[in-house]
């Protein structure tokens, strides 16, 4: 039996997916990165290996997400792809007619427009993370509500209050103010969901032609309140795929399948990677006034890769 | 006098030549670095744009090294940059630095001021007007050689067999142009540079995407601030063509001429609104009409002219079928976010090309 592995290491979660030769998801894992991408990848690989049938052979591996390069070096990825392309690939695989993808993750949010299965336009939040998962997480914990219940509570609101959504600092002070005025928590949460959607559509979605079918994915798609706010704001149905929170990893796995078709073999180092001693160290290069922060990635004390310099001096040393 | 000036791309090599040959000592500020950013952000108003902060930091570094005169240019149209010279001067004087500042406005708008400033520089250097004209022409030839070399480097890079080689050769070319002193030497260095770049081992069977780079002049010209966008794209296999070079001469070699850009912008924007907005709009139209695959707009965060231009992009993009990616730049030195966007944009353009040629979509990446 053959399978393809996809790994998406993002700021908040690390997702590991294995698909079979027919591109169906065999296993999917969603674990928290907790700022330690190397540990998260090792943990994810160890866990998923235990869930797979014994006769399964990994024929290809792809990585994506903000730590795609790091994780790619660790596992011997056949393809290392940016998360925008990976998300688009996965969405158009699951919903072949998809024309719009809304994706909200931990630190970034994006919109991707597809026409006839081709990405024609995309945008990503530029500077502020007001409309992303981390901010929702933070507010949920401030209000002492488990994030899983956050969206459901929003749906119980009768009269959502208005919250300023443009900047996370403004939003938070606005929320505190409304709380102190005596508004109930449901209404504040619903207001926050609406503010987040408004901000997303006005910033990331500015000037974009949003056509159905609309696919909503990324960790925040679990939030019922945000889903409802999107449906209301757009006046159309929103499709949330079954594996909405690991779509990037699915995209990476799909891409590795294509890549290996051309290449003929995989560079996958095996699940034993999870037992190896990977280390990342860094130093500041004193070669010029740029003072680049150079990162060394080593396994069992052997240098595996090195990057972070602007001039290429250290990168080439890594050979 | 020790004269310093803004550091922007490769132009410092020509300015260095100019002032050194006018009886002064050119003090080239250190290339912008994290230290420049630290000085700049520490002393600039928080809401100023990144070109303001980098220039301020750069001036401080030059003044620390003993610069006595800062020469800079004025702004264009209703944009904050028009008052930057004065604001820089005030901030630096309030920090206790002793120096003189000369802001050159356009020779056409302020001919008298322009000439009287030149005269003061010449008098201090004990240089005659005929000598000045000769030196000025030499510096101009140097600037042309620099721009021409850079244009060629962006054309060669997407074909290079060994990643990074074009950049290495380009740096050597800059050094030899810098060393050239007489006009003959400069011309010679320029032609050797062209030969060296063309000799970089290349795979000419590749078909690079073509992307036009537009936007605000400082962030377009200074690689430290735009996080080496042209080099990064080149190494991804993209031939970048930039709308702004300091020399008009090279404009004849590039696609976009100023008046053409203004005419092309007219259906979308019919007047100067400050900075380079009108050019950004017109150049996007021209790149689209000339069959470019995409356009990348570089803008300082909070830059009003470029924000206005950006808001016109969706319409131009729809009308002419050219994808546009806008990148706002500020003091970030982390490159991951930009890298992701550039990679995705290049994927998009490749898919689009494949769609046009073969009619296959997303699944065939």
């Amino acid at each position: 039996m053959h399978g393809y592995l996809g790994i998406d290491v993002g700021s908040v979660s690390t997702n590991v997916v294995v698909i079979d030769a027919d591109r169906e998801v065999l296993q999917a894992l969603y674990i928290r990165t907790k700022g330690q991408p190397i540990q998260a990848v090792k943990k994810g690989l160890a866990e998923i290996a235990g869930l797979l049938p014994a006769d399964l052979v990994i024929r290809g591996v792809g990585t994506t997400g903000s730590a795609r390069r790091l994780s790619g070096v660790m596992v011997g990825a056949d393809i290392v792809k940016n998360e925008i392309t990976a998300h688009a690939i996965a969405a158009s695989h699951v919903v072949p007619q998809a024309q719009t993808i809304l994706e909200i993750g931990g630190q970034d949010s994006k919109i991707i427009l597809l026409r006839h299965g081709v990405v024609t336009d995309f945008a990503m939040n530029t500077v502020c993370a007001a409309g992303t998962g981390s901010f929702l997480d933070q507010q949920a914990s401030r209000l002492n509500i488990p994030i899983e219940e956050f969206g459901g509570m929003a749906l119980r609101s009768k009269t959502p209050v208005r919250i300023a959504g443009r900047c996370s600092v403004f939003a938070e002070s606005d929320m505190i103010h409304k709380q102190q005025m005596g508004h109930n928590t449901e209404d504040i949460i619903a207001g926050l969901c609406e503010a987040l959607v408004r901000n997303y559509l006005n910033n990331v979605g500015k000037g974009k032609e949003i056509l159905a079918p609309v696919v909503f994915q990324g960790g925040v798609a679990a939030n019922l309140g945000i889903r409802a706010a999107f449906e209301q704001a757009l006046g159309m149905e929103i499709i949330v795929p079954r594996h909405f929170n690991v779509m990037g990893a699915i995209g990476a796995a799909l891409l590795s399948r294509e890549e290996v078709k051309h290449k003929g073999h995989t560079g996958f180092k095996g699940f034993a990677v999870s037992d190896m001693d990977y280390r990342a160290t860094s130093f500041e290069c004193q070669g010029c006034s740029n003072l680049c922060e150079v990162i060394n990635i080593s396994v069992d004390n052997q240098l595996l890769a090195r990057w972070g310099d602007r001039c290429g001096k250290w990168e080439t040393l890594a050979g | 006098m020790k004269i310093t000036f803004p550091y922007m791309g490769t132009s410092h090599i020509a300015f260095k030549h100019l002032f050194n040959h006018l009886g002064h000592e050119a003090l080239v500020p250190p290339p912008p670095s994290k230290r420049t950013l630290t000085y700049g952000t520490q002393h600039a108003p928080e809401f100023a744009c990144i070109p303001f902060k980098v220039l301020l930091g750069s001036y401080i570094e030059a003044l620390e090294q003993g610069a006595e005169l800062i020469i800079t240019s004025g702004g264009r149209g209703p944009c904050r940059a028009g008052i930057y010279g004065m604001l820089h001067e005030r901030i630096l004087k309030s920090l206790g630095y002793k120096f003189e500042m000369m802001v050159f406005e356009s020779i056409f708008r302020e001919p008298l001021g322009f000439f009287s400033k030149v005269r003061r520089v010449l008098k201090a250097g004990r240089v005659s007007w005929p000598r000045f004209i000769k030196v000025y022409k030499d510096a101009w030839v140097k600037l042309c050689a620099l721009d021409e070399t850079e244009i060629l480097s962006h054309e060669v890079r997407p074909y290079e067999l060994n990643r990074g080689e074009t950049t290495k050769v380009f740096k050597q070319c800059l050094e030899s142009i810098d060393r050239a002193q007489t006009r003959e030497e400069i011309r010679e260095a320029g032609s050797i540079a062209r030969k060296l770049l063309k000799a970089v081992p290349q795979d000419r069977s590749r078909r690079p995407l073509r992307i036009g780079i537009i936007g605000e002049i400082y962030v377009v010209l200074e690689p430290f601030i735009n996080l080496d966008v042209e080099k990064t794209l080149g190494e991804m296999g993209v031939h970048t063509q930039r709308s702004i070079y300091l020399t008009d001469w090279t404009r004849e070699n590039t696609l976009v001429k100023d008046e053409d850009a203004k005419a092309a912008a007219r259906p979308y924007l019919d007047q100067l609104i400050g900075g380079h907005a009108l050019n950004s709009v017109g150049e996007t139209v021209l790149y689209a009409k000339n069959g470019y695959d995409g356009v990348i707009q570089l803008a300082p965060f909070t830059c009003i002219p470029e924000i206005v231009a950006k808001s016109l992009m969706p319409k131009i993009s729809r009308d002419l079928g050219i994808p546009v990616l806008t990148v706002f730049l500020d003091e970030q030195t982390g490159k991951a976010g930009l890298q992701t966007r550039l990679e995705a944009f290049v994927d998009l353009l490749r898919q689009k090309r494949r769609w046009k040629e073969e009619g296959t979509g997303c699944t065939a990446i």
Side-chain angles (χ1 to χ4, degrees):
Chain A
M1 205 182 167
H2 298 156
Y4 299 89
L5 179 66
I7 303 172
D8 177 357
V9 188
S11 59
V12 172
S13 74
T14 293
N15 312 324
V16 185
V17 160
V18 174
I19 59 169
D20 64 15
D22 299 323
R23 299 187 285 175
E24 292 302 319
V25 175
L26 287 175
Q27 286 295 344
L29 279 183
Y30 178 98
I31 50 183
R32 297 250 161 186
T33 310
K34 290 183 184 151
Q36 297 192 306
I38 294 178
Q39 292 313 318
V41 170
K42 286 170 72 167
K43 186 167 170 242
L45 286 177
E47 262 180 53
I48 208 158
L51 298 170
L52 295 169
D55 63 336
L56 187 103
V57 180
I58 296 295
R59 294 289 289 273
V61 54
T63 59
T64 185
S66 43
R68 59 187 177 281
R69 207 168 157 195
L70 175 65
S71 49
V73 167
M74 281 179 70
V75 299
D78 300 303
I79 187 162
V80 176
K81 203 50 145 178
N82 67 81
E83 49 271 38
I84 295 166
T85 305
H87 274 283
I89 298 281
S92 62
H93 169 63
V94 179
V95 184
Q97 306 306 317
Q99 297 208 84
T100 309
I101 302 166
L102 316 173
E103 202 272 343
I104 307 186
Q107 275 296 332
D108 59 38
S109 53
K110 34 193 169 290
I111 186 166
I112 306 168
L113 302 188
L114 293 156
R115 300 291 182 261
H116 316 290
V118 180
V119 177
T120 56
D121 198 4
F122 71 85
M124 231 168 145
N125 61 331
T126 43
V127 274
C128 183
T132 62
S134 299
F135 179 59
L136 284 177
D137 256 358
Q138 194 190 325
Q139 294 313 315
S141 78
R142 197 176 61 79
L143 295 169
N144 219 359
I145 302 163
I147 186 73
E148 295 77 16
E149 291 168 27
F150 198 84
M153 276 185 84
L155 294 186
R156 290 200 292 276
S157 156
K158 299 268 186 317
T159 47
V161 296
R162 194 183 159 88
I163 308 278
R166 200 186 156 209
C167 152
S168 56
V169 179
F170 293 170
E172 183 164 336
S173 57
D174 218 15
M175 277 172 69
I176 293 172
H177 179 70
K178 299 270 155 97
Q179 274 177 295
Q180 311 296 52
M181 297 281 288
H183 289 281
N184 71 46
T185 311
E186 281 90 352
D187 290 344
I188 290 172
I189 291 178
L192 182 63
C193 291
E194 284 179 2
L196 195 144
V197 166
R198 201 165 52 231
N199 179 45
Y200 174 94
L201 293 174
N202 199 16
N203 174 356
V204 185
K206 190 93 182 176
K208 308 274 182 250
E209 194 185 18
I210 298 179
L211 298 179
V214 178
V215 180
F216 180 24
Q217 57 197 39
V220 174
N223 190 310
L224 298 172
I226 303 279
R227 276 192 216 180
F230 265 125
E231 291 194 328
Q232 200 194 0
L234 293 173
M236 49 177 93
E237 191 206 349
I238 304 289
I239 303 167
V240 178
R242 187 157 80 98
H243 297 290
F244 64 88
N245 60 351
V246 295
M247 293 295 273
I250 294 177
L254 289 167
L255 282 161
S256 77
R257 184 173 168 273
E258 292 303 311
E259 183 67 20
V260 171
K261 257 193 218 164
H262 298 293
K263 231 172 65 165
H265 60 90
T266 179
F268 184 45
K269 294 181 180 171
F271 288 105
V273 159
S274 59
D275 298 326
M276 291 193 210
D277 183 22
Y278 286 92
R279 260 169 228 270
T281 52
S282 68
F283 66 92
E284 200 175 66
C285 172
Q286 304 289 331
C288 75
S289 58
N290 282 327
L291 304 177
C292 292
E293 290 144 10
V294 184
I295 313 278
N296 298 310
I297 309 293
S298 60
V299 59
D300 297 333
N301 288 325
Q302 279 205 312
L303 190 65
L304 200 60
R306 191 181 248 173
W307 56 68
D309 49 329
R310 284 183 71 213
C311 68
K313 170 165 129 188
W314 297 105
E315 236 182 40
T316 41
L317 270 186
Chain B
M1 256 191 301
K2 284 188 179 170
I3 302 182
T4 194
F5 38 85
Y7 192 103
M8 190 157 76
T10 61
S11 61
H12 60 275
I13 295 173
F15 289 123
K16 177 177 153 192
H17 182 99
L18 180 69
F19 297 124
N20 275 343
H21 285 80
L22 290 180
H24 296 285
E25 186 187 330
L27 201 157
V28 180
S33 67
K34 286 179 195 160
R35 190 178 53 205
T36 319
L37 274 180
T38 307
Y39 285 151
T41 50
Q42 191 182 347
H43 299 295
E46 185 272 332
F47 50 81
C49 65
I50 197 66
F52 183 90
K53 295 178 184 175
V54 175
L55 288 181
L56 182 64
S58 213
Y59 294 152
I60 292 177
E61 289 178 294
L63 291 169
E64 290 289 340
Q65 293 179 17
E68 296 157 289
L69 171 64
I70 299 174
I71 291 187
T72 183
S73 67
R76 185 180 175 196
C79 154
R80 286 181 282 190
I83 55 160
Y84 278 5
M86 289 159 248
L87 210 49
H88 278 139
E89 187 176 359
R90 286 203 164 199
I91 292 172
L92 292 169
K93 294 235 156 111
S94 77
L95 291 173
Y97 292 108
K98 303 265 182 296
F99 65 100
E100 198 189 335
M101 184 120 181
M102 243 182 224
V103 182
F104 279 85
E105 298 293 345
S106 163
I107 186 167
F108 302 109
R109 204 169 67 205
E110 210 190 72
L112 284 179
F114 188 90
F115 284 110
S116 78
K117 282 169 195 160
V118 174
R119 196 173 60 208
R120 269 163 58 208
V121 174
L122 299 188
K123 221 175 150 190
R126 296 208 187 96
V127 164
S128 67
W129 279 93
R131 164 95 185 136
F132 166 69
I133 289 165
K134 189 197 163 289
V135 170
Y136 183 83
K137 277 187 183 162
D138 289 350
W140 182 254
V141 173
K142 211 170 210 184
L143 198 56
C144 292
L146 290 166
D147 280 356
E148 202 185 342
T149 307
E150 189 177 352
I151 290 172
L152 186 60
S153 79
H154 297 313
E155 197 207 303
V156 167
R157 194 174 284 111
Y159 295 101
E160 71 185 5
L161 283 172
N162 310 315
R163 191 168 164 265
E165 186 155 353
T166 311
T167 306
K168 234 180 252 170
V169 172
F170 176 60
K171 273 188 194 141
Q172 290 163 6
C173 295
L174 292 185
E175 281 160 19
S176 68
I177 294 174
D178 186 20
R179 278 194 302 270
Q181 294 303 324
T182 66
R183 201 171 303 173
E184 290 65 41
E185 284 170 7
I186 297 168
R187 291 224 165 93
E188 174 75 13
S191 88
I192 290 174
R194 280 193 294 282
K195 280 190 201 120
L196 283 175
L197 278 169
K198 283 183 183 156
V200 168
Q202 299 169 46
D203 171 7
R204 295 301 291 194
S205 72
R206 291 182 196 159
R207 293 168 53 221
L209 292 165
R210 291 192 307 156
I211 294 181
I213 308 279
I214 59 153
E216 189 275 335
I217 182 166
Y218 192 80
V219 297
V220 167
L221 289 188
E222 181 44 53
F224 174 76
I225 283 306
N226 65 38
L227 305 168
D228 283 313
V229 70
E230 285 189 276
K231 173 173 160 256
T232 309
L233 284 166
E235 289 177 356
M236 287 180 193
V238 176
H239 176 188
T240 54
Q241 165 78 265
R242 181 168 96 198
S243 57
I244 308 174
Y245 283 92
L246 284 182
T247 50
D248 279 331
W249 179 86
T250 48
R251 278 185 186 273
E252 285 168 20
N253 280 350
T254 57
L255 179 73
V256 181
K257 292 198 186 69
D258 209 39
E259 55 276 28
D260 294 349
K262 284 189 183 118
R266 205 154 294 135
Y268 302 97
L269 184 63
D270 62 1
Q271 54 191 290
L272 200 64
I273 56 161
H276 289 76
L278 188 56
N279 286 71
S280 292
V281 170
E283 286 152 7
T284 304
V285 172
L286 289 175
Y287 281 127
K289 291 195 170 155
N290 281 281
Y292 274 68
D293 296 288
V295 165
I296 294 181
Q297 180 193 14
L298 302 177
F301 184 49
T302 73
C303 171
I304 293 289
E306 293 299 329
I307 288 172
V308 174
K310 176 185 186 274
S311 67
L312 294 167
M313 292 303 171
K315 182 152 172 54
I316 303 173
S317 185
R318 259 200 308 278
D319 289 355
L320 303 173
I322 188 152
V324 180
L325 176 72
T326 301
V327 177
F328 281 104
L329 297 153
D330 201 60
E331 55 172 305
Q332 315 95 315
T333 48
K335 211 180 148 175
L338 179 67
Q339 182 82 23
T340 298
R341 285 163 181 81
L342 294 179
E343 283 180 31
F345 192 62
V346 167
D347 278 349
L348 178 162
L349 300 182
R350 289 224 169 93
Q351 277 188 50
K352 196 169 170 246
R353 182 193 264 184
R354 196 167 293 142
W355 169 254
K356 268 198 226 155
E357 291 174 357
E358 304 164 17
T360 51
C362 229
T363 44
I365 273 210

